[in-house]
């Protein structure tokens, strides 16, 4: 089943389960049986030659899912052993019923112990699911340690045990799965923080639960989909000319820092902006112009020289290589006061944080975690501990659109469901990548006039370009290579 675009908090997932039982009339045990059936299908698809399956069952409904899977797997001819992390006599409700039905079918249940998983082909993690909200208790942590030490393929049901379903951070310790099958709705913890690292390949089954309308239950996050690229950037009419595709002004490139402005300007061209001008310090003119002759480069010595360029531009991108000296501060002040849509990055974000400004609806802020921390008087570690909350704090303080960069870039705006980009790779942790993203967003914004869509599509095209460049190895990917590759993805149809 294809992944939906909606992603929910664990509280919302429980609301969806209650909706299925109370509103849709699906009995809770029927959902558990559907989960077991879906798990068997997914497991056999992923590991078709696996014969001996070890299912680690906890004491809640996640353990019940494991017992159902074990019963169906045994009926399908697999050699199945359930390792009970919680004694069957202590089970209650549907979990107890699932355990009893497995036992009635001559299923084998053993007490979980060290070394229990040494001879299985696949370990099924049905220990905790989305249950825990605080640190994993000692008994469960011991089981997780054994699963990790077994060095066997791990198939997690709903959520790797010990992983927060909301933040994607381990609750002290967590199972590292090779594949996770999640039920009913996607959980934010599978996409945020360390979630992608711990969940492995992600599979989804809604178990026949149709969510209520988004007016009744708005998702916590949405995934940015490939289909958004051609929707925002359709094929151009044959009679097109550059005057139809917007004018971008990049302001940056202080003394000794021409590269960042050049990368941003080139990225704006690569995504299809009609004309791009770059305003830089006089010392940076030659380097920018020589590196990319299609850019129109202006030397700015005095701040007054910037005014006619601002009047010309449809979109302004400020920050790449700007610096923080008096020259940079003067240019930033003029740009912040100009009545032009503006993309704010790098040094300009620092200047914005240091000089209080009223919130604006027409800017796009593109901080990395350290810059986001400066914007909201926090720390980089706090930002990473709850990236979604940090995103919303930036939006609440500054307005407009915020693009919180990093693994799983987040995009938020007032009154909007935040979005997440799942693409991108560690090779993009390299100098100049943020400058390319700034230029891409600015160039798309100049063409379509919508900052929210430009941010979503710019982030996606940038990440897909990075993935294309990283296919031959993630180390050594250059920002200039990603800028060049942008052209492929803004023509994606």
């Amino acid at each position: 089943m294809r992944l939906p675009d909606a992603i929910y908090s664990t509280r919302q997932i429980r609301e969806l389960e209650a909706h299925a039982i109370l509103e849709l009339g699906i009995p809770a045990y029927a959902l558990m049986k559907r989960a077991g059936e879906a798990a068997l299908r997914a497991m056999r698809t992923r590991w078709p030659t696996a014969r001996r399956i070890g299912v680690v069952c906890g004491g809640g409904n996640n353990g019940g899912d494991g017992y159902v899977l074990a019963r169906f797997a045994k009926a399908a001819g697999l050699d199945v052993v359930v390792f009970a992390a919680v004694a069957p006599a202590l089970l209650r409700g549907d979990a107890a019923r699932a355990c009893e039905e497995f036992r009635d079918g001559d299923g084998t249940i053993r007490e979980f112990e060290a070394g229990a998983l040494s001879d299985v082909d696949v370990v099924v993690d049905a220990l905790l699911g989305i249950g825990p909200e605080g640190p994993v208790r000692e008994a469960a942590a011991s089981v997780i340690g054994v699963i990790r030490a077994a060095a066997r393929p791990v198939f997690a049901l709903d959520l790797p045990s010990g992983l927060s379903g909301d933040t994607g951070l381990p609750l002290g310790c967590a199972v590292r799965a090779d594949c996770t099958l999640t039920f009913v709705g996607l959980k934010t913890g599978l996409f945020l923080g360390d979630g992608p690292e711990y969940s492995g390949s992600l599979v989804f089954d809604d178990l026949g639960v149709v969510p209520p309308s988004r007016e009744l239950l708005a998702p916590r996050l949405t995934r940015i989909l490939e289909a958004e690229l051609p929707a925002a950037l359709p094929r151009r009419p044959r009679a097109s000319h550059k005057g139809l595709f917007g004018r971008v002004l990049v302001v940056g490139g202080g003394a000794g820092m021409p590269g960042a402005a050049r990368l941003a300007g080139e990225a704006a061209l690569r995504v299809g902006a009609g004309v791009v001008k770059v305003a830089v310090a006089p010392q940076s003119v030659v380097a920018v112009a020589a590196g990319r002759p299609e850019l129109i480069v202006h030397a700015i010595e005095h701040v007054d020289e910037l005014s006619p360029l601002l009047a010309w531009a449809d979109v302004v991108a400020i920050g790449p290589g700007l610096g923080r000296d008096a020259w940079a501060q003067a240019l930033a002040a003029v740009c912040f006061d100009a009545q032009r849509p503006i993309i704010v990055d790098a040094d300009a974000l620092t200047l914005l944080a240091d000089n209080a400004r009223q919130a604006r609806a027409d800017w796009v802020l593109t901080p990395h975690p350290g810059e986001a921390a400066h914007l909201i008087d926090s720390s980089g570690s706090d930002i990473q501990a709850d990236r979604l909350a940090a995103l919303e704090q930036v939006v609440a303080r500054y307005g407009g659109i915020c693009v919180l960069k990093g693994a799983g870039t987040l995009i938020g705006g007032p009154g909007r469901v935040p979005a997440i980009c799942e693409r991108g790779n560690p090779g993009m942790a390299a100098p100049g990548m943020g400058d390319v993203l700034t230029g891409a967003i600015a160039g798309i914004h100049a063409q379509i006039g919508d900052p929210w869509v430009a941010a979503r599509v710019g982030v996606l095209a940038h990440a897909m370009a990075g993935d294309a460049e990283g296919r031959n190895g993630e180390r050594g990917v250059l920002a200039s290579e990603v800028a060049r590759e942008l052209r492929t993805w803004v023509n994606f149809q």
Side-chain angles (χ1 to χ4, degrees):
M1 184 176 291
R2 295 180 63 179
L3 297 185
D5 69 318
I7 306 172
Y8 299 97
S9 68
T10 54
R11 177 187 61 79
Q12 291 176 313
I13 291 295
R14 291 187 175 97
E15 290 179 17
L16 284 173
E17 291 171 345
H19 165 75
I21 296 167
L22 300 176
E23 303 296 328
L24 302 181
I26 306 172
Y29 193 62
L31 288 176
M32 188 173 284
K33 288 176 66 177
R34 292 179 188 181
E37 291 168 347
L40 178 60
R41 288 193 300 269
M43 184 179 69
R44 299 197 77 174
T45 298
R46 177 63 190 266
W47 293 283
T49 62
R51 301 301 304 165
R52 183 167 173 79
I53 312 300
V55 185
V56 181
C57 290
N61 285 341
N62 193 241
D65 295 339
Y67 279 108
V68 174
L69 166 61
R71 176 163 64 90
F72 291 154
K74 185 176 188 303
L78 299 179
D79 183 3
V80 183
V81 177
V82 167
F83 297 99
V86 173
L90 300 178
L91 300 179
R92 297 290 181 269
D94 291 330
R97 178 178 175 182
C99 174
E100 191 62 32
E101 289 186 356
F102 175 65
R103 180 178 278 157
D104 289 347
D106 294 326
T108 301
I109 302 176
R110 297 179 185 169
E111 183 179 352
F112 188 89
E113 58 185 13
L117 307 172
S118 60
D119 62 347
V120 301
D121 297 323
V122 175
V123 176
V124 177
D125 167 23
L127 179 64
L128 298 176
I130 64 170
E133 296 180 357
V136 173
R137 295 178 180 177
E138 184 177 349
S142 176
V143 174
I144 290 171
V146 173
I147 293 174
R148 293 186 59 150
R152 292 288 187 271
V154 176
F155 179 43
L157 301 188
D158 210 21
L159 194 74
S161 292
L163 186 74
S164 167
D166 288 319
T167 67
L169 299 178
L171 297 168
C173 63
V175 167
R176 284 183 178 268
D178 296 277
C179 178
T180 297
L181 170 63
T182 198
F183 307 119
V184 180
L186 299 178
K187 289 82 180 167
T188 57
L190 294 167
F191 297 86
L192 298 175
D194 296 323
E197 190 79 25
Y198 279 77
S199 58
S201 60
L202 184 61
V203 188
F204 172 72
D205 197 295
D206 62 13
L207 307 185
V209 177
V210 179
S213 69
R214 293 195 177 184
E215 288 73 20
L216 295 176
L217 186 65
R220 190 72 180 91
L221 272 175
T222 59
R223 298 168 55 237
I224 305 175
L225 306 178
E226 288 182 3
E228 297 181 41
L229 282 165
L233 299 167
R235 291 185 184 276
R236 292 180 169 180
R238 182 172 176 79
S240 297
H241 57 84
K242 65 184 180 182
L244 297 175
F245 304 118
R247 297 171 294 193
V248 174
L249 173 65
V250 176
V251 180
M257 296 183 289
R262 178 244 161 131
L263 285 169
E266 178 171 350
L269 288 173
R270 293 288 186 182
V271 298
V275 182
V276 180
K277 294 184 178 182
V278 182
V280 297
Q283 303 95 312
S284 298
V285 169
V286 172
V288 176
R292 179 51 60 203
E294 295 88 350
L295 295 171
I296 302 170
V297 189
H298 292 263
I300 304 296
E301 190 165 356
H302 301 291
V303 69
D304 315 355
E305 297 166 337
L306 193 59
S307 297
L309 297 177
L310 290 169
W312 167 88
D314 294 318
V315 176
V316 177
I318 181 170
L322 182 67
R324 304 175 196 173
D325 58 14
W327 176 85
Q329 292 177 42
L331 266 60
V334 171
C335 289
F336 291 152
D337 289 337
Q339 300 302 307
R340 288 288 182 273
I342 184 170
I343 317 301
V344 186
D345 186 32
D347 293 321
L349 289 167
T350 300
L351 297 176
L352 175 62
D354 291 342
N355 299 276
R357 290 266 171 181
Q358 286 189 333
R360 284 178 56 166
D362 63 345
W363 58 17
V364 179
L365 310 183
T366 63
H368 58 54
E371 292 161 343
H374 193 42
L375 286 168
I376 58 174
D377 305 314
S378 183
S379 68
S381 58
D382 287 342
I383 298 295
Q384 293 297 79
D386 195 340
R387 284 171 54 82
L388 195 51
L391 174 82
E392 293 174 337
Q393 288 178 53
V394 174
V395 170
R397 183 174 298 190
Y398 294 92
I401 307 301
C402 177
V403 175
L404 180 56
K405 296 182 290 196
T409 292
L410 296 172
I411 306 168
R416 297 183 182 275
V417 176
I420 187 167
C421 179
E422 305 153 71
R423 303 302 187 94
N425 63 81
M428 299 178 74
M433 291 292 176
D435 306 313
V436 172
L437 177 60
T438 294
I441 295 172
I444 294 171
H445 190 350
Q447 294 172 75
I448 67 175
D450 186 324
W452 174 250
V453 175
R456 290 174 68 106
V457 171
V459 165
L460 180 60
H462 179 256
M464 293 174 76
D467 285 343
E469 286 299 322
R471 286 187 189 122
N472 293 323
E474 294 173 351
R475 289 184 178 86
V477 174
L478 301 182
S480 57
E481 296 167 342
V482 173
R484 182 185 61 239
E485 182 64 26
L486 283 170
R487 179 185 173 195
T488 299
W489 301 104
V490 295
N491 289 290
F492 181 78
Q493 297 293 329

